[in-house]
Amino acid sequence: MALYLLFESASGYALFHAYGMDEIAQDTQAVRDSIVDLNRFGQVVKLTAFSPFSSAIDALNQCNAVSEGIMTDELRNFLELNLPKVKEGKKAKFSVGVAEPKVGSQISEVTKIPCQSNEFVLELLRGVRLHFDKFIKELKPTDLEKAQLGLGHSYSRAKVKFNVNRVDNMVIQAIFLLDTLDKDINSFSMRVREWYGYHFPELVKIVNDNYIYAKIAKFVEDKSHLSETHIPALADIVGDEDKAKDIVEAAKASMGQDISPIDLINVQQFAQRVINLSEYRKKLYDYLVTKMSDIAPNLASLIGEVVGARLISHAGSLTNLAKCPASTLQILGAEKALFRALKTRGNTPKYGLIFHSSFIGRASSRNKGRMARYLANKCSIASRIDCFSETNTTVFGEKLREQVEERLDFYDKGVAPRKNLDVMKAALESVTQEDGKKKEETPAKKSKKKKTKGESDDGEVMDVDIAADLGTEKKKKKKHKLEQPDEDMTEAANGGDQNGTPKKKKKKHEKDEDGDVKMGTESKKKKKKSKSDE
């Protein structure tokens, strides 16, 4: 039985004929040895046909079809044109070796061409791939490399299609940076306190906040120059006038040592770095809040932006978090404690990262485990809604938060919470109402935009044009009204009524007129009879 090899390259489809290859007798190892030598391999495998792709888009479509196991029309035409034709009712005396078994099964189903994909065929195709540029003389090795590179980039780009506004990688990096900034700012602030504490040790007890302490250290500089005139400025920094007075009084009776101007400059520069880091941390937190409202609005409204971002970063992505069951989400972040408990056969942890939520802190010590289990259940629902829904809304997250609040009241006061079915129905109704409002608002907005554009472009001239158009429309209406009686007159001349009434009414009037005529004739007869009687 003859063996043909179908090779899908980056530049087109190629069909090879393997001469004198007996699959049963031939050893796979011998084929591997013969592949390396082109002279030996070229005597066995020869090119039968080659069909290049028309464009890069065509190559991408063919590559996607092959990867999905679909036979395209181009591939079918290529095989039917170049393979030997099989008579009806007879078996084919050849077979086609393919690299993808799915493509081979579809080819055999549609075209009835026998296909095979085994280790022997794969070794032959490996040799074809190795010497492909030698088989086609017109094709240069650099052209093949460029085609492979371009097709690889376009194929991977097509596979990694995503919405730019819903990239969870940015949230993962932002929450990692936020945690590291918190640690760095804390350690740097302690260093500023210790460094400036040599000069002004009493300031540590008066000011507790690290950011405000760094600002005061930069503002005060040398404590000996501090006086009552600086109280308003200090009050602006601290936010309390009494504290500002305490700082001035403590500076007068301070036990700290004197510092040289060079040391003060270094302390000020370091304090400024701490202030800049703290301000950047605030901006980064605002950025994280906005990104979470775009990526996972329901999860953020349920559990908070920071805790939700930590869950996403620990899971790896929002889709991974959505795939996690509620039991896994509950202990996410407590893996060490879980495996230690399993190893020592102790109590497993009740919560992981979810512990940082305010709901767990508000629950009593008895109900912390229950609350963590219930909150994990709601978080898994919210993450799945955020991951797989197309509409960006916070309605479900707010409703789920209400359910958690009701569950807290149930544990504390015994108030029965609402059923999940009723809550979800109410959420769906509110979402449909919002969608209806948006659809109603969109046409109104478009009309407003058109008006504003006309006014901005033409100004008063636009109003004159509109008035002229209205005048022409009125004139047309008047002409139409004047033309209507003429048409009615023509209808009357043709046998219709002169009043221009519809045909149905005409018949009634005609009957009435006939009745009047009949009455007239009868009155004439009566007059004649009366004359004859006289």
Side-chain angles (χ1 to χ4, degrees):
M1 183 181 282
L3 178 64
Y4 288 90
L5 300 172
L6 176 64
F7 180 67
E8 306 95 353
S9 70
S11 54
Y13 290 117
L15 192 68
F16 292 87
H17 188 194
Y19 290 94
M21 283 285 182
D22 191 359
E23 186 182 349
I24 299 167
Q26 190 71 33
D27 187 14
T28 309
Q29 187 63 38
V31 176
R32 286 174 186 168
D33 296 336
S34 66
I35 282 169
V36 181
D37 189 8
L38 178 61
N39 295 324
R40 191 178 170 189
F41 187 73
Q43 292 174 0
V44 177
V45 177
K46 292 184 179 179
L47 180 67
T48 304
F50 177 68
S51 175
F53 297 132
S54 59
S55 62
I57 297 167
D58 184 28
L60 178 61
N61 294 331
Q62 299 295 328
C63 183
N64 286 325
V66 169
S67 65
E68 292 170 7
I70 299 167
M71 183 184 66
T72 58
D73 295 334
E74 290 84 354
L75 179 58
R76 183 176 180 177
N77 295 332
F78 174 69
L79 291 173
E80 287 177 351
L81 283 170
N82 298 297
L83 286 172
K85 293 182 180 179
V86 183
K87 294 181 180 180
E88 293 182 1
K90 290 187 178 182
K91 289 184 179 180
K93 294 181 180 180
F94 63 90
S95 63
V96 179
V98 292
E100 292 290 333
K102 291 181 181 178
V103 177
S105 61
Q106 192 172 16
I107 289 169
S108 59
E109 284 176 9
V110 177
T111 61
K112 306 299 180 183
I113 296 169
C115 296
Q116 57 178 335
S117 178
N118 48 30
E119 194 174 350
F120 178 73
V121 171
L122 291 175
E123 287 298 326
L124 289 173
L125 286 171
R126 191 166 68 87
V128 170
R129 189 181 301 109
L130 183 63
H131 305 293
F132 183 69
D133 55 338
K134 306 292 191 303
F135 284 106
I136 300 169
K137 295 178 181 178
E138 296 177 357
L139 191 67
K140 297 177 183 178
T142 54
D143 295 340
L144 186 62
E145 288 176 4
K146 286 178 183 177
Q148 288 172 349
L149 187 65
L151 182 60
H153 281 301
S154 57
Y155 179 74
S156 58
R157 200 181 299 116
K159 286 290 179 185
V160 190
K161 283 181 179 176
F162 55 84
N163 187 0
V164 179
N165 297 321
R166 299 191 68 177
V167 182
D168 49 6
N169 293 329
M170 303 302 166
V171 169
I172 294 167
Q173 296 300 325
I175 194 65
F176 272 129
L177 184 57
L178 197 70
D179 291 337
T180 52
L181 274 176
D182 287 336
K183 292 176 185 176
D184 293 341
I185 289 167
N186 191 21
S187 60
F188 292 161
S189 301
M190 294 303 294
R191 186 63 56 197
V192 169
R193 282 172 178 268
E194 190 177 350
W195 200 352
Y196 194 67
Y198 293 132
H199 179 63
F200 195 0
E202 291 82 8
L203 186 62
V204 177
K205 295 179 181 178
I206 299 168
V207 180
N208 296 320
D209 189 67
N210 294 328
Y211 178 65
I212 295 171
Y213 186 92
K215 274 192 163 185
I216 291 170
K218 187 179 182 301
F219 174 75
V220 172
E221 296 180 2
D222 193 356
K223 64 181 179 180
S224 59
H225 299 305
L226 200 63
S227 61
E228 292 180 356
T229 55
H230 296 95
I231 289 173
L234 283 170
D236 292 336
I237 296 168
V238 179
D240 188 4
E241 194 173 349
D242 295 332
K243 273 190 178 182
K245 289 178 181 178
D246 293 339
I247 290 166
V248 173
E249 289 174 2
K252 289 177 182 177
S254 177
M255 299 292 292
Q257 65 183 16
D258 293 333
I259 297 181
S260 63
I262 297 170
D263 295 334
L264 275 174
I265 288 166
N266 284 309
V267 172
Q268 281 181 322
Q269 287 178 351
F270 190 58
Q272 185 61 46
R273 292 291 176 91
V274 173
I275 291 163
N276 293 338
L277 279 175
S278 300
E279 289 173 354
Y280 174 66
R281 197 258 179 205
K282 290 176 185 176
K283 291 178 182 177
L284 186 67
Y285 176 75
D286 295 336
Y287 165 75
L288 182 66
V289 169
T290 54
K291 289 300 290 183
M292 281 296 291
S293 63
D294 292 334
I295 294 163
N298 293 298
L299 187 65
S301 60
L302 170 62
I303 203 171
E305 288 83 6
V306 177
V307 182
R310 284 204 178 102
L311 287 171
I312 290 169
S313 67
H314 198 84
S317 65
L318 183 61
T319 52
N320 291 345
L321 185 67
K323 290 174 185 176
C324 288
S327 57
T328 306
L329 196 145
Q330 183 183 348
I331 57 168
L332 207 66
E335 287 83 3
K336 287 184 180 178
L338 174 67
F339 291 119
R340 185 172 61 246
L342 292 172
K343 190 177 180 181
T344 58
R345 295 184 181 179
N347 294 326
T348 54
K350 295 177 183 177
Y351 26 69
L353 291 169
I354 215 169
F355 177 76
H356 297 288
S357 174
S358 60
F359 295 114
I360 308 295
R362 285 162 58 190
S364 60
S365 57
R366 277 180 58 206
N367 299 320
K368 279 187 188 295
R370 294 179 186 177
M371 201 66 226
R373 187 167 61 249
Y374 189 79
L375 184 60
N377 184 13
K378 298 303 172 189
C379 284
S380 66
I381 293 169
S383 63
R384 286 164 192 171
I385 292 168
D386 290 328
C387 183
F388 301 111
S389 68
E390 295 179 358
T391 55
N392 195 358
T393 178
T394 59
V395 173
F396 292 101
E398 290 168 1
K399 294 291 182 183
L400 292 169
R401 189 179 180 87
E402 289 174 8
Q403 279 188 292
V404 179
E405 295 279 358
E406 289 173 3
R407 184 56 62 128
L408 269 174
D409 293 338
F410 173 69
Y411 288 144
D412 294 339
K413 302 172 187 176
V415 181
R418 291 177 292 170
K419 289 183 179 180
N420 191 34
L421 184 65
D422 299 334
V423 175
M424 289 295 110
K425 279 183 180 177
L428 284 170
E429 286 176 2
S430 59
V431 167
T432 51
Q433 285 176 1
E434 284 182 3
D435 292 339
K437 286 179 181 178
K438 285 179 182 178
K439 286 178 182 178
E440 288 175 0
E441 287 174 1
T442 46
K445 285 180 181 178
K446 285 180 182 178
S447 62
K448 284 179 182 178
K449 283 180 183 177
K450 286 179 182 178
K451 285 181 182 178
T452 53
K453 282 179 183 178
E455 288 171 3
S456 61
D457 293 334
D458 298 331
E460 295 177 354
V461 180
M462 193 71 184
D463 298 332
V464 174
D465 294 338
I466 292 163
D469 292 337
L470 290 170
T472 52
E473 285 177 5
K474 286 179 181 178
K475 286 178 182 178
K476 286 179 182 178
K477 285 180 182 178
K478 284 179 181 179
K479 285 181 180 178
H480 187 64
K481 285 179 181 178
L482 291 168
E483 286 171 6
Q484 276 182 350
D486 296 334
E487 290 173 3
D488 296 334
M489 289 294 287
T490 54
E491 286 179 2
N494 293 326
D497 189 15
Q498 291 180 359
N499 295 324
T501 52
K503 289 182 181 178
K504 290 182 180 178
K505 290 183 180 179
K506 282 178 188 176
K507 289 179 182 178
K508 288 181 181 178
H509 287 300
E510 284 171 7
K511 286 178 183 178
D512 294 338
E513 286 172 5
D514 293 339
D516 293 337
V517 171
K518 287 175 184 176
M519 289 295 291
T521 50
E522 285 176 3
S523 62
K524 284 178 182 178
K525 285 178 182 179
K526 283 179 181 179
K527 285 180 182 178
K528 285 178 182 179
K529 283 181 182 179
S530 61
K531 284 180 181 179
S532 61
D533 292 335
E534 287 176 356

